Amino acid sequence: MPLHPQAQEYIERYLSDPGPGLAGLDLAGIQEARARDDLARHRGPLTQLAFVRDESAEGVPIRVYRADRGDGALPVVVYFHGGGWMTGGIKRGDALGRDLALRTGAVVVSVGYRLAPEHPFPAAADDAWTVVRDIFARPAFYQCDGGVAVMGESSGGNLAAVAAWQARDAGLRLAHQVLVYPALDAALDTPSHAEFAKGFGLDTEDVAWLLRQYAGAADPEDPRLSPLRLPSVAGLAPATVVTAECDVLRDDGERYGARLAEAGVPVETRRFDGAIHGFFGLPGLFDQAVEARDYVAARLREAW
């Protein structure tokens, strides 16, 4: 299927002169990229909520959102931002955190995990697991009713998938996992990597460079890096997998969804036709972002 018209417009508007790209940036360039957000106005409004506070979970920064003014226990969604394990953060994901709290009616915990290259693998995965474990250990602090879901986009989808199997292995029962165009295999050898290698918003060359900064000399088959390499996915939390058709990471998510289904894990995998990587975070540019958020929120509400 051809690119969605909004995806084509985005590429022409923002990527027609993409510059040198990520590959080869030094630390100063990486820090500048973190500070800059050329798409901030398209990430959605900073909706006023009854409850937003910055906290920490065993030293990991988090931001907690709640839409209502009550003090009763609610389910909790733990959200991991994207950005190739190197950029992004709580501030950039603020609009989405607020939107998720409104759409799901849950407490949303946005995680400010450590970033590469200053903090290479497995720092981000360790921080993700620390927060999930802390919610189970201190449910009253989070006003959690016992229902905990993990959710992430791109590299954050990687962290959510890793946290899901760590929870399973620790005997902690997650209600759900939501993986939005997740990065799940360091091999980068799927057909979607070949088909959409360049010019669709996220290039395979950039993914490879980001992985090198994060993973260093780590074993690419380590399931904390490549959840698709996990020996068994049986018993994992029910899942929702969202993919974009014109995305190098499309096949990672869809293969993972197929593995989950084969293992008897309840899962829905939904591909958004003509969409490109990153659309979920930009409701000001992509109508499909709103559709995808409605879908994810409905799936989470069903899970509770």
Side-chain angles (χ1 to χ4, degrees):
M1 186 170 181
L3 277 171
H4 188 285
Q6 289 177 327
Q8 184 65 54
E9 181 181 357
Y10 170 82
I11 290 171
E12 292 172 355
R13 183 176 178 183
Y14 291 100
L15 305 179
S16 59
D17 184 16
L22 290 172
L25 285 180
D26 58 14
L27 183 56
I30 293 166
Q31 292 171 337
E32 181 183 346
R34 290 174 186 162
R36 188 179 66 245
D37 187 359
D38 299 332
L39 297 170
R41 67 185 185 278
H42 301 301
R43 297 190 185 280
L46 295 181
T47 307
Q48 293 299 309
L49 298 183
F51 184 89
V52 179
R53 75 172 189 259
D54 290 329
E55 298 284 355
S56 69
E58 297 184 29
V60 180
I62 57 174
R63 184 168 291 174
V64 183
Y65 303 89
R66 180 171 175 147
D68 69 13
R69 296 186 179 277
D71 57 5
L74 294 173
V76 170
V77 179
V78 191
Y79 169 73
F80 306 107
H81 66 81
W85 303 278
M86 288 182 58
T87 65
I90 288 173
K91 182 178 179 181
R92 187 171 294 186
D94 194 37
L96 178 56
R98 294 166 185 268
D99 190 48
L100 286 174
L102 280 171
R103 290 177 186 274
T104 63
V107 173
V108 173
V109 177
S110 180
V111 180
Y113 57 86
R114 288 171 290 173
L115 300 175
E118 301 97 313
H119 304 285
F121 173 84
D126 287 348
D127 287 355
W129 173 233
T130 292
V131 176
V132 172
R133 189 180 61 230
D134 192 59
I135 292 169
F136 279 97
R138 299 192 297 159
F141 177 80
Y142 295 93
Q143 298 179 307
C144 177
D145 68 1
V148 181
V150 293
M151 174 178 172
E153 298 174 73
S154 194
S155 56
N158 169 282
L159 300 178
V162 172
W165 67 255
Q166 289 178 313
R168 176 200 65 181
D169 292 357
L172 302 178
R173 185 174 181 179
L174 289 176
H176 208 72
Q177 56 178 317
V178 177
L179 312 178
V180 180
Y181 36 71
L184 300 177
D185 193 349
L188 310 185
D189 60 357
T190 61
S192 60
H193 269 291
E195 186 175 359
F196 304 107
K198 191 172 182 63
F200 292 88
L202 179 66
D203 295 350
T204 293
E205 178 185 19
D206 286 338
V207 178
W209 183 78
L210 290 162
L211 270 168
R212 288 195 298 272
Q213 309 314 302
Y214 174 56
D219 180 357
E221 295 197 5
D222 187 325
R224 293 174 299 169
L225 187 62
S226 299
L228 263 170
R229 307 290 175 160
L230 190 66
S232 172
V233 298
L236 289 178
T240 298
V241 182
V242 172
T243 65
E245 180 185 14
C246 305
D247 177 13
V248 292
L249 298 181
R250 181 194 69 198
D251 293 346
D252 282 23
E254 294 180 2
R255 288 183 177 187
Y256 200 61
R259 277 200 71 195
L260 292 172
E262 289 167 5
V265 176
V267 57
E268 278 189 16
T269 300
R270 181 170 174 181
R271 177 191 291 187
F272 282 78
D273 292 336
I276 59 175
H277 191 84
F279 80 92
F280 190 88
L282 297 168
L285 291 173
F286 299 106
D287 294 339
Q288 287 175 311
V290 178
E291 182 183 354
R293 292 182 186 196
D294 284 342
Y295 168 64
V296 164
R299 290 283 292 165
L300 285 167
R301 290 194 302 269
E302 290 170 10
W304 309 135

Short mmCIF file of all heavy atoms in Angstrom, two decimals, residues 86-109:
data_model
loop_
_atom_site.label_atom_id
_atom_site.label_comp_id
_atom_site.label_asym_id
_atom_site.label_seq_id
_atom_site.Cartn_x
_atom_site.Cartn_y
_atom_site.Cartn_z
N MET A 86 18.66 6.87 23.33
CA MET A 86 19.61 7.98 23.42
C MET A 86 18.95 9.34 23.58
O MET A 86 19.57 10.27 24.10
CB MET A 86 20.50 8.02 22.16
CG MET A 86 21.52 6.91 22.10
SD MET A 86 22.56 7.06 20.65
CE MET A 86 23.23 8.68 20.90
N THR A 87 17.74 9.51 23.10
CA THR A 87 17.04 10.79 23.19
C THR A 87 15.66 10.55 23.78
O THR A 87 15.29 9.43 24.12
CB THR A 87 16.92 11.47 21.82
OG1 THR A 87 16.09 10.67 20.96
CG2 THR A 87 18.28 11.67 21.17
N GLY A 88 14.88 11.61 23.88
CA GLY A 88 13.57 11.52 24.49
C GLY A 88 13.66 11.63 26.00
O GLY A 88 14.75 11.78 26.57
N GLY A 89 12.53 11.58 26.65
CA GLY A 89 12.52 11.69 28.09
C GLY A 89 11.14 12.04 28.60
O GLY A 89 10.17 12.13 27.84
N ILE A 90 11.04 12.25 29.90
CA ILE A 90 9.76 12.55 30.53
C ILE A 90 9.17 13.84 29.96
O ILE A 90 7.97 13.92 29.67
CB ILE A 90 9.93 12.64 32.06
CG1 ILE A 90 10.17 11.24 32.64
CG2 ILE A 90 8.70 13.28 32.70
CD1 ILE A 90 10.51 11.26 34.11
N LYS A 91 10.01 14.85 29.80
CA LYS A 91 9.49 16.14 29.32
C LYS A 91 8.93 16.03 27.92
O LYS A 91 7.83 16.52 27.63
CB LYS A 91 10.61 17.19 29.35
CG LYS A 91 10.16 18.58 28.90
CD LYS A 91 11.30 19.58 28.99
CE LYS A 91 10.85 20.96 28.53
NZ LYS A 91 11.96 21.94 28.60
N ARG A 92 9.65 15.37 27.03
CA ARG A 92 9.16 15.23 25.65
C ARG A 92 7.91 14.39 25.59
O ARG A 92 7.06 14.58 24.71
CB ARG A 92 10.27 14.66 24.76
CG ARG A 92 9.91 14.65 23.29
CD ARG A 92 11.08 14.28 22.40
NE ARG A 92 12.14 15.29 22.46
CZ ARG A 92 13.23 15.27 21.70
NH1 ARG A 92 13.41 14.29 20.83
NH2 ARG A 92 14.14 16.21 21.81
N GLY A 93 7.76 13.46 26.50
CA GLY A 93 6.59 12.59 26.50
C GLY A 93 5.45 13.09 27.36
O GLY A 93 4.47 12.36 27.59
N ASP A 94 5.53 14.35 27.81
CA ASP A 94 4.55 14.87 28.76
C ASP A 94 3.14 14.88 28.17
O ASP A 94 2.17 14.47 28.83
CB ASP A 94 4.96 16.27 29.21
CG ASP A 94 4.19 16.76 30.42
OD1 ASP A 94 3.90 15.93 31.31
OD2 ASP A 94 3.87 17.95 30.48
N ALA A 95 2.99 15.35 26.95
CA ALA A 95 1.66 15.42 26.34
C ALA A 95 1.04 14.03 26.22
O ALA A 95 -0.16 13.84 26.48
CB ALA A 95 1.73 16.10 24.98
N LEU A 96 1.85 13.04 25.84
CA LEU A 96 1.34 11.69 25.70
C LEU A 96 0.98 11.10 27.05
O LEU A 96 -0.05 10.43 27.20
CB LEU A 96 2.36 10.80 24.99
CG LEU A 96 1.97 9.33 24.82
CD1 LEU A 96 0.64 9.19 24.10
CD2 LEU A 96 3.06 8.57 24.08
N GLY A 97 1.80 11.35 28.08
CA GLY A 97 1.48 10.84 29.40
C GLY A 97 0.14 11.35 29.88
O GLY A 97 -0.68 10.60 30.44
N ARG A 98 -0.12 12.64 29.67
CA ARG A 98 -1.40 13.22 30.06
C ARG A 98 -2.55 12.61 29.26
O ARG A 98 -3.62 12.30 29.80
CB ARG A 98 -1.36 14.74 29.86
CG ARG A 98 -0.38 15.44 30.80
CD ARG A 98 -0.10 16.88 30.35
NE ARG A 98 0.92 17.50 31.18
CZ ARG A 98 0.68 18.23 32.28
NH1 ARG A 98 -0.57 18.45 32.65
NH2 ARG A 98 1.66 18.75 32.98
N ASP A 99 -2.32 12.44 27.96
CA ASP A 99 -3.36 11.90 27.08
C ASP A 99 -3.69 10.46 27.47
O ASP A 99 -4.87 10.08 27.50
CB ASP A 99 -2.88 11.98 25.63
CG ASP A 99 -3.99 11.67 24.64
OD1 ASP A 99 -5.09 12.24 24.78
OD2 ASP A 99 -3.75 10.85 23.73
N LEU A 100 -2.68 9.66 27.78
CA LEU A 100 -2.93 8.28 28.17
C LEU A 100 -3.73 8.20 29.46
O LEU A 100 -4.62 7.35 29.60
CB LEU A 100 -1.60 7.54 28.34
CG LEU A 100 -0.84 7.15 27.08
CD1 LEU A 100 0.52 6.57 27.44
CD2 LEU A 100 -1.65 6.14 26.25
N ALA A 101 -3.42 9.09 30.42
CA ALA A 101 -4.17 9.08 31.67
C ALA A 101 -5.64 9.39 31.42
O ALA A 101 -6.54 8.77 32.02
CB ALA A 101 -3.56 10.09 32.65
N LEU A 102 -5.92 10.34 30.53
CA LEU A 102 -7.31 10.68 30.20
C LEU A 102 -8.00 9.54 29.47
O LEU A 102 -9.15 9.20 29.78
CB LEU A 102 -7.33 11.94 29.32
CG LEU A 102 -7.19 13.28 30.03
CD1 LEU A 102 -7.02 14.39 29.00
CD2 LEU A 102 -8.42 13.56 30.90
N ARG A 103 -7.32 8.96 28.49
CA ARG A 103 -7.96 7.93 27.66
C ARG A 103 -8.20 6.63 28.41
O ARG A 103 -9.19 5.94 28.16
CB ARG A 103 -7.11 7.66 26.41
CG ARG A 103 -7.11 8.80 25.41
CD ARG A 103 -6.18 8.48 24.23
NE ARG A 103 -6.06 9.60 23.32
CZ ARG A 103 -6.89 9.85 22.32
NH1 ARG A 103 -7.90 9.04 22.09
NH2 ARG A 103 -6.71 10.91 21.54
N THR A 104 -7.27 6.27 29.29
CA THR A 104 -7.37 4.96 29.95
C THR A 104 -8.06 5.03 31.29
O THR A 104 -8.56 4.01 31.79
CB THR A 104 -5.96 4.37 30.16
OG1 THR A 104 -5.22 5.21 31.05
CG2 THR A 104 -5.23 4.21 28.85
N GLY A 105 -8.09 6.20 31.94
CA GLY A 105 -8.60 6.29 33.29
C GLY A 105 -7.69 5.67 34.33
O GLY A 105 -8.07 5.50 35.49
N ALA A 106 -6.46 5.36 33.92
CA ALA A 106 -5.48 4.74 34.81
C ALA A 106 -4.48 5.77 35.32
O ALA A 106 -4.40 6.89 34.81
CB ALA A 106 -4.74 3.62 34.07
N VAL A 107 -3.71 5.38 36.32
CA VAL A 107 -2.52 6.12 36.69
C VAL A 107 -1.44 5.80 35.66
O VAL A 107 -1.23 4.62 35.33
CB VAL A 107 -2.03 5.73 38.10
CG1 VAL A 107 -0.69 6.39 38.41
CG2 VAL A 107 -3.06 6.10 39.14
N VAL A 108 -0.81 6.81 35.12
CA VAL A 108 0.28 6.61 34.15
C VAL A 108 1.59 7.01 34.81
O VAL A 108 1.70 8.10 35.38
CB VAL A 108 0.05 7.42 32.86
CG1 VAL A 108 1.26 7.35 31.93
CG2 VAL A 108 -1.20 6.92 32.14
N VAL A 109 2.57 6.12 34.72
CA VAL A 109 3.90 6.38 35.27
C VAL A 109 4.88 6.42 34.10
O VAL A 109 5.15 5.41 33.46
CB VAL A 109 4.32 5.29 36.27
CG1 VAL A 109 5.74 5.54 36.78
CG2 VAL A 109 3.34 5.24 37.44
#
